[in-house]
């Protein structure tokens, strides 16, 4: 295998393909060049989250690569359950509506308690004292 494959192999290894040299050697033996890999790698990068083991998918696709093959062909089917599992996991991480309402109620209740605690102090002040207090609070 020629030297120009070194950069491609390093790129594949950086993407998690453990047997990058093997994939490159098989493709080179079939007549492919490093430039033939690029469109396939780019296509895979945009869809890598659709397979359970995306690095293995890339390895097998590139190992079987032949000159002139379209980057959209010869990929295994996407994992149909993967997107559904990811959506379910995201939903578990989001607080449900009842939890959001509970938090909102707790915040409002805390604000009400604070207002009630300050009310007797404000009612004991004269109008001038309340105005001075309000101005002092606003300018802080």
């Amino acid at each position: 295998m020629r030297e120009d494959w070194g950069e491609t192999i390093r790129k594949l290894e950086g993407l998690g393909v453990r047997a990058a040299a093997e994939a490159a050697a098989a493709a080179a033996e079939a007549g492919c060049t490093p430039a033939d890999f690029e469109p396939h790698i780019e296509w895979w990068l945009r869809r890598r989250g659709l397979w359970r083991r995306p690095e293995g998918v890339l390895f097998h696709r590139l190992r079987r690569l032949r000159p002139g093959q379209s980057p959209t062909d010869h990929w295994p089917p996407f994992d149909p359950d993967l997107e559904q599992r990811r959506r379910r996991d995201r939903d578990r991480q989001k607080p449900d509506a009842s939890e959001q309402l509970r938090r909102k109620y707790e915040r409002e209740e805390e604000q009400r308690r604070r207002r009630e605690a300050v009310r007797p102090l404000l009612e004991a002040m004269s109008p001038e004292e309340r105005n001075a207090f309000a101005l002092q609070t606003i300018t802080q």
Side-chain angles (χ1 to χ4, degrees), residues 47-52 78-91:
R47 293 159 183 86
R48 72 188 299 175
L50 299 174
W51 293 286
R52 191 167 302 175
F78 300 134
D79 183 344
D81 299 328
L82 195 58
E83 184 57 33
Q84 188 176 18
R85 269 196 313 277
R86 285 193 175 139
R87 201 173 304 121
R88 201 171 40 241
D89 291 345
R90 272 194 310 267
D91 290 345

Side-chain angles (χ1 to χ4, degrees), residues 5 18 32 39 48 60 72 82 108 113 118 120 129 132 134 140:
W5 281 95
R18 287 187 228 136
C32 293
R48 72 188 299 175
H60 287 289
T72 61
L82 195 58
E108 290 172 352
R113 279 194 295 269
V118 172
E129 289 172 322
Q140 286 183 352

Side-chain angles (χ1 to χ4, degrees), residues 13 33 46 50 66 73 85 93 115 120 124 126 130 137:
E13 289 171 343
T33 67
R46 289 190 302 273
L50 299 174
R66 300 299 176 258
D73 295 338
R85 269 196 313 277
Q93 293 172 356
R115 281 193 305 271
S126 68
R130 276 196 301 270
T137 303

Side-chain angles (χ1 to χ4, degrees), residues 79-133:
D79 183 344
D81 299 328
L82 195 58
E83 184 57 33
Q84 188 176 18
R85 269 196 313 277
R86 285 193 175 139
R87 201 173 304 121
R88 201 171 40 241
D89 291 345
R90 272 194 310 267
D91 290 345
R92 283 185 195 138
Q93 293 172 356
K94 292 180 189 174
D96 63 5
S98 62
E99 177 66 16
Q100 289 175 340
L101 285 173
R102 185 186 64 75
R103 289 179 185 168
K104 179 182 177 189
Y105 173 77
E106 287 175 354
R107 281 192 308 270
E108 290 172 352
E109 188 62 24
E110 177 62 25
Q111 290 173 350
R112 187 191 64 74
R113 279 194 295 269
R114 288 181 182 174
R115 281 193 305 271
E116 291 301 317
V118 172
R119 182 179 305 232
L121 297 172
L122 292 174
E123 289 175 350
M125 292 180 182
S126 68
E128 294 80 23
E129 289 172 322
R130 276 196 301 270
N131 288 339
F133 176 75

